Amino acid sequence: YTGADLPLYHYVRESSMNIVNRLNGVGMVATSDIELGGTDPLHPTNKKPVGERLALLAKGMNYGYDKEYSMPLYQGIKIDGNKAIVKFSHTGDGLYSDGELTGFKICGADKVFVDAKAEIVGDTVHVYSEAVENPVAVRYFFEAVTEGINLYNSIGMPASPFRSDNAIDCYTVSITNAEGNKAESLNSGDNVIANIELTNNNSKKGK
């Protein structure tokens, strides 16, 4: 699916992770690397590998399983010069990637995120960009579509998307009806088919 299908799904994902972090006995697994099948992104047909990951999570959380059982989880960042050092838990025997790390973005005090380079160093990832001299925040695939995630722990679990900041993205919202006319608001009684376009004003391309 595309970002147009679920334009704000990353906030739903983040809200779910916030529940995991705040409540005991609650867990979540990532499925970004699984071919889920079907056409509905919220109710895929290939449920077996998802169930297997959830079962492993339950074993580790509740039944004394003493090996790694979870995906890598963001723990925090430390700024070191022009780099942000991202710390993870549940790395198993270490983090790895099947190629150059993608999906990391970094920003300075202006809160404008640019594409960043990233390198695995032990249980951490060092994130930096020539365009940001004094970084303050990092994001990893914090967007609706997470295609291309390639940061894993030693049991092959993909890292969960995250952001180190809590800034509210500034979106330009354009709403048009079926005839292409601008609409400031839509009432359920109007029986109008609408197209909603969201443009994130806080991101731009960079080195």
Side-chain angles (χ1 to χ4, degrees), residues 5 21 26 30 35 39 44 47 50 52 66 70 78 81 123 128 133 141 171 197 205 207:
D5 300 316
N21 292 333
V26 179
E35 185 62 45
T39 58
K47 300 182 185 299
V50 181
E52 290 173 342
D66 60 358
S70 176
K78 180 178 73 172
D123 291 339
Y128 58 96
E133 294 184 3
F141 277 102
Y171 283 91
E197 180 181 348
K205 295 291 184 180
K207 294 183 179 180

Side-chain angles (χ1 to χ4, degrees), residues 15-28 61-62:
S15 296
S16 299
M17 183 56 67
N18 287 339
I19 293 173
V20 170
N21 292 333
R22 294 175 184 178
L23 297 180
N24 293 327
V26 179
M28 189 168 80
M61 292 178 64
N62 299 294

Side-chain angles (χ1 to χ4, degrees), residues 2-206:
T2 68
D5 300 316
L6 297 169
L8 300 179
Y9 188 63
H10 44 311
Y11 292 104
V12 177
R13 190 186 301 118
E14 181 183 51
S15 296
S16 299
M17 183 56 67
N18 287 339
I19 293 173
V20 170
N21 292 333
R22 294 175 184 178
L23 297 180
N24 293 327
V26 179
M28 189 168 80
V29 297
T31 59
S32 57
D33 61 324
I34 297 175
E35 185 62 45
L36 296 175
T39 58
D40 185 344
L42 298 181
H43 300 282
T45 57
N46 187 19
K47 300 182 185 299
K48 182 179 178 181
V50 181
E52 290 173 342
R53 287 188 177 180
L54 289 170
L56 180 61
L57 186 66
K59 284 174 61 178
M61 292 178 64
N62 299 294
Y63 298 102
Y65 185 70
D66 60 358
K67 297 180 181 179
E68 186 54 74
Y69 58 87
S70 176
M71 60 185 173
L73 297 175
Y74 165 74
Q75 294 297 296
I77 66 170
K78 180 178 73 172
I79 304 302
D80 183 11
N82 68 337
K83 293 183 178 180
I85 301 175
V86 185
K87 176 67 177 176
F88 293 88
S89 62
H90 292 287
T91 58
D93 294 328
L95 297 170
Y96 81 92
S97 173
D98 57 7
E100 183 178 354
L101 285 173
T102 60
F104 280 95
K105 294 181 182 292
I106 196 169
C107 78
D110 59 3
K111 297 297 178 70
V112 176
F113 285 86
V114 300
D115 294 337
K117 296 180 180 179
E119 300 172 352
I120 296 172
V121 181
D123 291 339
T124 68
V125 175
H126 291 203
V127 184
Y128 58 96
S129 168
E130 295 177 1
V132 180
E133 294 184 3
N134 300 295
V136 299
V138 170
R139 293 182 176 184
Y140 178 63
F141 277 102
F142 191 72
E143 49 201 45
V145 178
T146 57
E147 183 178 355
I149 282 181
N150 63 349
L151 176 62
Y152 307 91
N153 63 13
S154 60
I155 64 169
M157 290 276 201
S160 173
F162 68 88
R163 59 174 175 167
S164 68
D165 64 292
N166 61 358
I168 298 175
D169 285 332
C170 297
Y171 283 91
T172 299
V173 182
S174 176
I175 304 175
T176 57
N177 61 19
E179 288 73 36
N181 298 317
K182 292 280 186 178
E184 293 184 359
S185 64
L186 293 174
N187 299 318
S188 59
D190 290 341
N191 195 26
V192 175
I193 298 175
N195 299 310
I196 300 176
E197 180 181 348
L198 296 173
T199 302
N200 189 341
N201 299 324
N202 278 5
S203 294
K204 68 179 182 179
K205 295 291 184 180

